[in-house]
Amino acid sequence: MKRASLLFFAVVVSFLVSAAADHEDYHPERTHLIDIVGKNFFFRGNNPLNATSFVYDEVVSDFKKMALKEGGVELPDDIYFVDISLLNIITERSDIEMEKNFFESNPTKGEFVNYPMVGQLVNPNSYPKSMMEYMAKHLDDWQIDRAPTRIDYIRSRLEQQGDRPVALYIHCEAGTDRTGELAGDYMLEYWPAPYNQSIEAVLDYADHIQSRDIEVYSKHGIEWYCNYLKFGKGVDIAC
């Protein structure tokens, strides 16, 4: 039993290392608007840091540009920044600490949330159909990423309309793979057609955020979420 536990831990650590990326400075061109709900905003992008600090002013400036360009609305000045980092503490601790320390020192600007994501090793179609459907229905019970819980959290924060507008920002290092997975999951559930009807439209969109396709583990994560919607929530969607 102890040997099996150590083996499982070794596999998880290896998976985290393979899913992680080297530190990347902030790239403004990777920041995009995902949704607007009431007066709250949802953005995606990459690591909001340079080598030494959290680049808060630059990121908020890009929020304003993307809100106007991609949403046709002006972002209010007094936003509450919810920084949702998808990094893991095993291989990306220093970046996590930099983000966390920024909001601890500037609590009126917003808050830091850490939701590590790694994607999925195996495509859902690799399993027998009956097993895959059962696993998809119970995705939140076994998946490391716990995508259903993450999407519920994001949607709940967007729907909470307080006195101050909220800007949620999801990111990993590059802003393409883990970020693409979570953004893709949200698009499958909440974007209009064709994105809520077929995974292909979401994957095509996700593949054009950076100059390369989304990494295969993150692609598998979106495929699992599509099947969760189909078999767990009864959504009519082509996965």
Side-chain angles (χ1 to χ4, degrees):
M1 183 68 179
K2 183 177 180 181
R3 181 177 296 178
S5 298
L6 289 172
L7 178 61
F8 176 76
F9 179 75
V11 170
V12 170
V13 171
S14 298
F15 191 24
L16 287 171
V17 171
S18 66
D22 294 333
H23 167 87
E24 284 203 35
D25 286 352
Y26 177 65
H27 291 268
E29 70 277 7
R30 298 180 197 170
T31 296
H32 293 275
L33 177 68
I34 299 177
D35 205 356
I36 303 172
V37 179
K39 59 184 179 181
N40 296 332
F41 296 77
F42 181 24
F43 297 93
R44 63 174 289 174
N46 87 302
N47 201 21
L49 308 172
N50 59 28
T52 60
S53 62
F54 190 100
V55 290
Y56 175 87
D57 291 336
E58 186 175 356
V59 176
V60 172
S61 175
D62 290 324
F63 285 174
K64 292 184 177 182
K65 293 173 185 176
M66 291 300 103
L68 196 58
K69 179 180 179 180
E70 299 178 341
V73 299
E74 292 188 2
L75 185 81
D77 290 328
D78 188 28
I79 63 161
Y80 185 80
F81 192 134
V82 180
D83 173 23
I84 305 175
S85 170
L86 309 181
L87 307 184
N88 75 80
I89 201 164
I90 296 176
T91 61
E92 297 161 315
R93 178 185 294 270
S94 60
D95 284 352
I96 289 173
E97 290 299 320
M98 199 182 302
E99 294 179 78
K100 182 180 176 182
N101 291 340
F102 175 83
F103 286 102
E104 286 179 350
S105 300
N106 301 275
T108 61
K109 291 185 182 295
E111 65 187 81
F112 173 71
V113 178
N114 186 210
Y115 280 159
M117 296 191 73
V118 296
Q120 295 299 135
L121 280 170
V122 182
N123 182 304
N125 292 326
S126 299
Y127 291 90
K129 188 173 185 296
S130 60
M131 180 182 293
M132 182 274 285
E133 290 182 9
Y134 179 85
M135 292 174 68
K137 287 180 182 178
H138 301 278
L139 186 64
D140 212 37
D141 294 337
W142 61 267
Q143 188 189 44
I144 293 175
D145 293 346
R146 298 195 66 201
T149 292
R150 308 314 184 205
I151 295 299
D152 285 349
Y153 169 81
I154 289 169
R155 188 66 186 186
S156 176
R157 290 298 299 261
L158 288 171
E159 291 178 348
Q160 293 171 12
Q161 302 294 310
D163 295 333
R164 190 175 174 188
V166 171
L168 282 77
Y169 181 65
I170 59 168
H171 75 87
C172 51
E173 290 285 358
T176 298
D177 301 315
R178 291 168 285 180
T179 303
E181 177 187 345
L182 193 58
D185 294 346
Y186 185 92
M187 291 164 66
L188 284 170
E189 188 159 4
Y190 291 107
W191 271 28
Y195 302 100
N196 64 353
Q197 297 176 337
S198 170
I199 193 172
E200 292 305 322
V202 170
L203 290 174
D204 183 64
Y205 178 93
D207 282 344
H208 293 89
I209 294 297
Q210 200 180 337
S211 58
R212 61 174 175 80
D213 290 350
I214 190 171
E215 180 264 345
V216 66
Y217 296 152
S218 299
K219 180 174 180 283
H220 289 342
I222 300 174
E223 291 165 344
W224 273 108
Y225 197 78
C226 185
N227 282 283
Y228 161 76
L229 292 175
K230 184 173 184 176
F231 298 110
K233 303 187 79 169
V235 176
D236 183 14
I237 187 170
C239 298

